[in-house]
Amino acid sequence: MSRILAYYRTPITNRLEAITCRYNQETGAYEATFEVSTNVEAGTYKFDHILVRDTSENDLLVWDKEALAKGEFHVYTENNPPVFTNLTVDKKVMELIEADQTIHLTLHATDDTHLQDAVVYYLSLITKTKIAVPLTLNGSTGSTVTGDFLIHSNTKAGSWKVDSIETKDMNDNITRVRADSVDLSSGQFTILPDQTEPEKPVVNEVTDRVTVVQGTTEPGATVDVVVNGDIISTGRAGSDKKFSITITTQKAGTVLTIIAVDWEGNKSDPTTVQVVRGKPGWSLENGYWYYYDPVTYVKKTGWYKVGSTWYFSNNDGVMQTGWIRYKGSWYYLKNSGAMATGWVNVNNKWYYLQIFGDMLTGRFFYNGHWYFLQPNGAMVTGSYRILGTTYYFDKNGSLR
């Protein structure tokens, strides 16, 4: 014989599975082994047919179901749940927390097959709700699962106790154990409270114009701004240590006290800053430009002149740029905020702004040439129809 293949039908998906039979000289028979793995289909496996091939590649197919019935076998699903053995942690006491750390959990259990995974539930010290820590299979023995409990800087200090454990095997059989019926104290650990006060805040200069207090301190710390013993605003430092807290404008001479408070309630040494009077003229605040009168120190709004240049600020004092409409006329303010006059190119279109900055439209005469500006102010080039008559304007806009 060259080859003998035995074909079985799987009990669930009805697929054909081929098993190669090899000659055993001791028994004088062709034999094969069917490997039953953890993911094999449960049920009755029946012979579909047998292929016998000789050395000349001649095939014989055997379909005799009565004869083949003797090769049937049954695979049963294992229904026994895992048996919990123990749970351990690599640290019983977590020292002062400076950054994210982990408690490593190891769970042992016995099972007829392999463990698949497990979940350890700890009881939250604050909300009394369950916090799930997933454990996954570790190693080839199939009896150990491991995982990590991540300790953040804001994790509550105290004794963390196991509430319950769920352990699952490869056949999805689950064992549940609870702390009120099984001693799970081996999974308990304690986090010591952080008693180190946060970094003393470093605070930027505060003027009587700004509406924010900015600086740096311990990441994640709450930052209070205090005036005369009252907290007027609160914020939080980011992971980059920076904070930016909105306040109402304060009078020059006002003393601000800035204090950082960490998750455990530890307070930093206070930082005091005195509000100073802002300098007159231009001031960049929170990404916007403002202009303060050199005499009155009052923030300018509307039209105002600085030197020989006109500017416009809205009702909040923010300097404007681009197109603005004022009392029925359009004006263009450059990126610097300066009011434009004369010819100006905006997005590849030409406009003409008169001596007082208002945009011109219609026909007008300039340097010996006639031009025509559309109702939106854009200069006309090429052919253009005006009151029923077609005119031609060259690339520079002058009438030909």
Side-chain angles (χ1 to χ4, degrees):
M1 298 295 176
S2 170
R3 177 183 299 178
I4 295 180
L5 294 175
Y7 288 89
Y8 278 91
R9 285 284 180 184
T10 58
I12 299 175
T13 60
N14 201 37
R15 291 181 295 105
L16 278 177
E17 293 279 355
I19 305 173
T20 301
C21 301
R22 291 180 172 81
Y23 184 70
N24 187 332
Q25 291 183 347
E26 294 182 0
T27 63
Y30 283 85
E31 300 175 354
T33 301
F34 185 90
E35 182 179 353
V36 180
S37 61
T38 55
N39 60 350
V40 74
E41 294 179 17
T44 301
Y45 284 75
K46 297 182 179 181
F47 263 129
D48 185 81
H49 65 277
I50 295 177
L51 183 147
V52 181
R53 179 173 295 170
D54 63 17
T55 55
S56 298
E57 299 297 314
N58 298 308
D59 291 343
L60 171 65
L61 294 176
V62 181
W63 298 92
D64 188 344
K65 294 193 178 297
E66 184 176 344
L68 297 178
K70 296 179 180 180
E72 293 182 5
F73 61 89
H74 193 87
V75 176
Y76 294 93
T77 301
E78 181 268 324
N79 293 315
N80 297 322
V83 178
F84 171 76
T85 304
N86 61 62
L87 171 70
T88 59
V89 293
D90 66 338
K91 302 181 189 75
K92 297 299 289 183
V93 177
M94 177 68 72
E95 299 293 340
L96 177 66
I97 301 170
E98 296 179 353
D100 288 347
Q101 301 179 60
T102 58
I103 299 288
H104 188 69
L105 282 65
T106 302
L107 182 148
H108 297 282
T110 59
D111 190 70
D112 294 338
T113 58
H114 276 194
L115 297 183
Q116 182 178 162
D117 54 40
V119 180
V120 178
Y121 293 96
Y122 282 87
L123 201 59
S124 170
L125 297 176
I126 303 174
T127 62
K128 301 303 180 182
T129 57
K130 294 181 182 179
I131 296 178
V133 181
L135 309 184
T136 55
L137 188 63
N138 187 319
S140 59
T141 63
S143 61
T144 304
V145 287
T146 60
D148 293 319
F149 188 125
L150 183 60
I151 308 297
H152 300 282
S153 58
N154 61 337
T155 301
K156 189 68 176 176
S159 180
W160 285 80
K161 299 179 180 180
V162 178
D163 176 82
S164 57
I165 299 174
E166 291 182 358
T167 309
K168 185 194 301 181
D169 67 13
M170 286 301 191
N171 290 317
D172 291 336
N173 300 308
I174 297 176
T175 293
R176 295 179 177 86
V177 293
R178 294 182 52 83
D180 55 10
S181 58
V182 177
D183 183 6
L184 301 179
S185 60
S186 59
Q188 182 176 325
F189 59 88
T190 300
I191 300 177
L192 297 179
D194 178 4
Q195 297 180 344
T196 304
E197 61 188 33
E199 299 176 18
K200 181 178 180 179
V202 176
V203 184
N204 301 342
E205 181 183 71
V206 181
T207 72
D208 58 356
R209 301 174 184 170
V210 300
T211 56
V212 291
V213 174
Q214 297 176 318
T216 59
T217 187
E218 181 179 301
T222 298
V223 182
D224 295 330
V225 181
V226 181
V227 175
N228 296 327
D230 296 323
I231 298 176
I232 64 169
S233 192
T234 298
R236 190 178 298 282
S239 58
D240 58 358
K241 304 177 61 174
K242 296 179 180 180
F243 61 82
S244 181
I245 305 170
T246 302
I247 62 169
T248 56
T249 53
Q250 303 292 310
K251 293 181 179 179
T254 302
V255 175
L256 306 180
T257 301
I258 293 85
I259 302 172
V261 184
D262 66 16
W263 293 99
E264 293 296 333
N266 302 307
K267 294 185 178 181
S268 70
D269 289 335
T271 298
T272 57
V273 294
Q274 188 172 41
V275 178
V276 297
R277 191 171 189 180
K279 297 178 181 179
W282 290 109
S283 176
L284 181 63
E285 302 169 13
N286 304 328
Y288 299 101
W289 283 101
Y290 300 84
Y291 186 78
Y292 291 86
D293 189 284
V295 178
T296 64
Y297 284 78
V298 174
K299 189 184 297 181
K300 287 286 192 179
T301 59
W303 288 107
Y304 54 92
K305 199 171 186 180
V306 180
S308 59
T309 305
W310 284 95
Y311 297 85
F312 186 89
S313 292
N314 64 16
N315 292 335
D316 295 322
V318 178
M319 184 196 78
Q320 302 297 290
T321 60
W323 289 106
I324 65 167
R325 188 170 178 83
Y326 181 79
K327 292 187 177 180
S329 297
W330 285 99
Y331 297 80
Y332 185 77
L333 306 173
K334 301 176 183 178
N335 290 338
S336 64
M339 183 190 74
T341 59
W343 287 107
V344 60
N345 188 293
V346 181
N347 296 328
N348 296 320
K349 293 182 179 181
W350 285 97
Y351 301 83
Y352 189 83
L353 293 311
Q354 301 189 81
I355 189 171
F356 294 111
D358 51 317
M359 183 187 74
L360 188 63
T361 61
R363 185 181 65 172
F364 84 111
F365 193 75
Y366 179 83
N367 282 353
H369 298 280
W370 283 101
Y371 297 82
F372 190 83
L373 304 174
Q374 300 176 60
N376 64 2
M379 181 188 76
V380 169
T381 60
S383 60
Y384 191 78
R385 194 172 181 82
I386 304 173
L387 297 177
T389 303
T390 299
Y391 298 87
Y392 186 81
F393 300 85
D394 65 21
K395 65 178 181 179
N396 296 317
S398 61
L399 178 67
R400 294 183 62 178

